[in-house]
Amino acid sequence: MRPFIAANWKLHKTVEESVETAARLKIIIEGVNDRDILVCPPFTALEEIYHVIEGTNIMLGAQDVFWEEEGAFTGEVSPEMLKNVGCEYVIIGHSERRKYFNETDETVNKKIRASFADELKVILCVGETEEMRDQAKHRDFVEKELEDGLKNISSSDAKMLAVAYEPIWAIGTGQTATPEQAQEMHAFIRDRLSVIFDQKTADSIRILYGGSVKPDNVKELMSQKDINGALVGGASLDAESFGKIIKGF
Ligand code: 13P
């Protein structure tokens, strides 16, 4: 499967800073054609970045989307609006949105279906807290996130889907899941996807790992059978460090 390395810049960078980072990244990854690369800057920088990366193999993504096409929904942005500024992908259901902005499996599902209706590809984020893992409830929790988040989505639409396994205890903590822990959950997720869709579809969906991915741990993580990519936060803010992750396996 073609590896997929994605940057989630979260609430960082002005337009100028975003453009500068994207321009540096463009130079660093020149000639790298055997993997998919995605940057997800804040909404305000999307259009400008699109012009910087146009014609390269870096794709553009947003960090969230709303499910309605238009209307009186102050502050929201639709899938069509994201496509309109050059987005190919959107991240949906990040744990930070679930924690701070009341995102639920139900709203995640609405957002995914609306995105697919406009042919906007999706990275669905799932992952458990440390407490859930301690109580051995992490599998059940992730299973529910997948089942409810992916309700009423066809196997053919699942071609536009990637899943990111991001254990909450590993996000921004420097405490990466071990390659074995990650592999175990990725295999579990693929198995659940085979029940939700079918085996062939599950085998074609890329499952990314996220949570303190750095240049020095990407290789070991990417060597695992069911780890098909990475969703990188902190270490993607610097073009050199993100470039090392992209080239580091
Ligand atoms: P960090 O790489 O900073 O741990 O963040 C991971 C993440 O949340 C990516 O979406």
Side-chain angles (χ1 to χ4, degrees), residues 8 10 94 166 170-172 211-213 231-234:
N8 175 9
K10 306 189 181 182
H94 193 282
E166 299 206 313
I171 297 177
S212 299
V213 175
L231 180 54
V232 188

Side-chain angles (χ1 to χ4, degrees), residues 208-239:
L208 283 53
Y209 169 78
S212 299
V213 175
K214 305 279 181 249
D216 63 4
N217 60 25
V218 68
K219 190 170 182 164
E220 223 190 335
L221 288 161
M222 288 302 295
S223 70
Q224 302 296 313
K225 178 173 169 279
D226 288 292
I227 301 186
N228 313 118
L231 180 54
V232 188
S236 74
L237 293 172
D238 175 73

Side-chain angles (χ1 to χ4, degrees), residues 185-202:
M185 285 305 286
H186 281 231
F188 174 75
I189 289 167
R190 200 175 305 285
D191 179 63
R192 293 299 88 198
L193 292 172
S194 77
V195 175
I196 295 167
F197 301 111
D198 55 74
Q199 191 64 54
K200 189 163 167 258
T201 303

Side-chain angles (χ1 to χ4, degrees), residues 12-224:
H12 293 282
K13 296 185 189 291
T14 61
V15 175
E16 291 75 17
E17 289 161 351
S18 299
V19 165
E20 197 196 321
T21 309
R24 273 177 27 230
L25 184 65
K26 185 166 122 172
I27 295 164
I28 292 168
I29 57 93
E30 220 180 311
V32 179
N33 295 313
D34 59 349
R35 48 208 63 191
D36 284 343
I37 302 165
L38 175 74
V39 288
C40 303
F43 286 129
T44 45
L46 286 171
E47 187 173 6
E48 283 295 322
I49 297 230
Y50 179 72
H51 296 301
V52 176
I53 62 177
E54 204 179 351
T56 72
N57 67 334
I58 306 173
M59 297 180 288
L60 186 65
Q63 299 173 19
D64 189 30
V65 67
F66 190 57
W67 56 81
E68 294 286 350
E69 270 174 34
E70 61 179 9
F73 303 104
T74 302
E76 296 299 327
V77 172
S78 72
E80 192 188 355
M81 288 170 177
L82 294 180
K83 293 272 296 201
N84 183 243
V85 290
C87 286
E88 202 162 320
Y89 270 94
V90 61
I91 297 172
I92 295 180
H94 193 282
S95 59
E96 288 148 15
R97 296 219 60 84
R98 295 178 192 256
K99 180 175 175 189
Y100 302 118
F101 305 100
N102 302 321
E103 189 86 271
T104 64
D105 291 331
E106 195 190 353
T107 59
V108 163
N109 182 253
K110 284 184 177 181
K111 289 178 178 187
I112 297 177
R113 287 192 294 155
S115 298
F116 285 169
D118 277 328
E119 300 200 326
L120 180 64
K121 295 173 189 156
V122 168
I123 300 179
L124 163 65
C125 298
V126 298
E128 80 284 357
T129 62
E130 188 161 30
E131 200 184 351
M132 288 170 197
R133 182 166 276 266
D134 288 346
Q135 296 170 359
K137 289 182 181 152
H138 51 298
R139 286 186 204 85
D140 290 349
F141 182 75
V142 168
E143 178 171 28
K144 188 168 162 25
E145 285 186 319
L146 290 168
E147 278 175 0
D148 292 354
L150 295 171
K151 236 176 219 159
N152 298 321
I153 288 166
S154 67
S155 297
S156 72
D157 276 355
K159 288 185 182 64
M160 295 182 276
L161 175 72
V163 175
Y165 171 59
E166 299 206 313
I168 294 166
W169 46 273
I171 297 177
T173 59
Q175 190 194 341
T176 324
T178 64
E180 294 74 27
Q181 280 173 326
Q183 166 56 29
E184 195 240 314
M185 285 305 286
H186 281 231
F188 174 75
I189 289 167
R190 200 175 305 285
D191 179 63
R192 293 299 88 198
L193 292 172
S194 77
V195 175
I196 295 167
F197 301 111
D198 55 74
Q199 191 64 54
K200 189 163 167 258
T201 303
D203 288 341
S204 70
I205 294 174
R206 288 181 292 188
I207 307 175
L208 283 53
Y209 169 78
S212 299
V213 175
K214 305 279 181 249
D216 63 4
N217 60 25
V218 68
K219 190 170 182 164
E220 223 190 335
L221 288 161
M222 288 302 295
S223 70
Q224 302 296 313

